[in-house]
Amino acid sequence: MRYLRIFLVFVCTFSATFIISFQKIPKVSFYYYKQYLLAYQVPSLSFMDKQYVSILPRPVPKASKDFSQKQKKQPLSIYNLTSHDELAASDTTETGSYTLDGITYLKSNARNIIYLNQADARWGNKLYGGNDPIAKYGCGPTAMAIVISSMTGSIVLPNQMADWSRENGYYAYGSGSYHSLIPNAAQAFGLQVTSLTDFTYDTIRRELSTGKMIVALMKKGHFTTSGHFIIVHGTTLDGKVLIADPMSLENSLKAWDIEVLMNELKIGATSGGPLWSISLPENP
């Protein structure tokens, strides 16, 4: 009888503890745990992207929320976390930056674009997908925030874009974003997307001359130690390209040799990458 009482006390205590603990664990934790398991059961992010598209085909959801943001009075806080190679990049008078009503812009011979940095203090420490800080993993949402804000005129901040990405299935646990974020986010916000397959300066210049912006996925090199989205938005008279690097304002104020860009493209990217040309919709 004594052992039976001990056993019953143990069962009751264990059951109560389990129930209380279970109630305090948010359901979203199980979602990320599942993502964690999936992430380590496949050999690469590219495979995950293909698997996701094949198993869960669905139309691209339109942005249902008004993401426009009133311009704030305080200037953006920019952190330069990426070094540059002086042989590959040079100072140029054909680009520069300025701040107006709290928004930072990059200048070029084609257009002035809005610049946002993923490590900005206002959103850099916020968690992309509930796990990964935007400052480290948010180049995809930040790149698309730059493109959408610059082309549509409605300010979309990186944390807002990160929330949209997570809600629509483009957040990848511990890896940043699925490549499909780029074309699908552009379409959802009313823009047109074309995948570029001719990786030459003439192609880049032709696309930019018609008012388009190009999102490029880079591999390890001058811009990243793994994978990184940047934006190409202009060219120079001496045949270099101007970029917007979501991680580094310093890189964004340099003109880069086209060979560096082409050599460091992440060939084999999914969803039409590594170069996506984005434009406003054509008039009917």
Side-chain angles (χ1 to χ4, degrees), residues 176-188:
S177 307
Y178 292 115
H179 303 166
S180 51
L181 167 66
I182 305 305
N184 290 348
Q187 293 174 19

Side-chain angles (χ1 to χ4, degrees), residues 171-220:
Y171 161 70
Y173 178 89
S175 300
S177 307
Y178 292 115
H179 303 166
S180 51
L181 167 66
I182 305 305
N184 290 348
Q187 293 174 19
F189 282 81
L191 301 174
Q192 292 186 334
V193 188
T194 302
S195 296
L196 302 181
T197 56
D198 184 14
F199 305 152
T200 64
Y201 177 78
D202 287 339
T203 298
I204 299 293
R205 183 179 58 184
R206 182 175 63 251
E207 293 295 304
L208 297 178
S209 67
T210 59
K212 300 176 182 178
M213 298 175 69
I214 297 172
V215 177
L217 179 60
M218 313 305 293
K219 64 182 180 181
K220 181 179 180 180

Side-chain angles (χ1 to χ4, degrees), residues 250-270:
E250 183 182 13
N251 283 344
S252 304
L253 297 178
K254 300 289 183 179
W256 291 84
D257 288 338
I258 188 64
E259 290 80 9
V260 171
L261 190 74
M262 296 297 105
N263 291 338
E264 295 181 9
L265 287 175
K266 197 163 189 175
I267 305 301
T270 60

Side-chain angles (χ1 to χ4, degrees), residues 60-74:
V60 178
K62 295 296 182 181
S64 58
K65 186 188 302 183
D66 182 9
F67 283 93
S68 59
Q69 173 91 3
K70 291 184 178 180
Q71 297 179 347
K72 300 190 176 189
K73 295 302 180 182
Q74 70 270 26

Side-chain angles (χ1 to χ4, degrees), residues 65 67 127-128 158-168:
K65 186 188 302 183
F67 283 93
L127 297 180
Y128 183 16
N159 56 304
Q160 295 173 319
M161 196 69 236
D163 289 342
W164 185 92
S165 176
R166 175 187 56 79
E167 291 167 2
N168 290 280

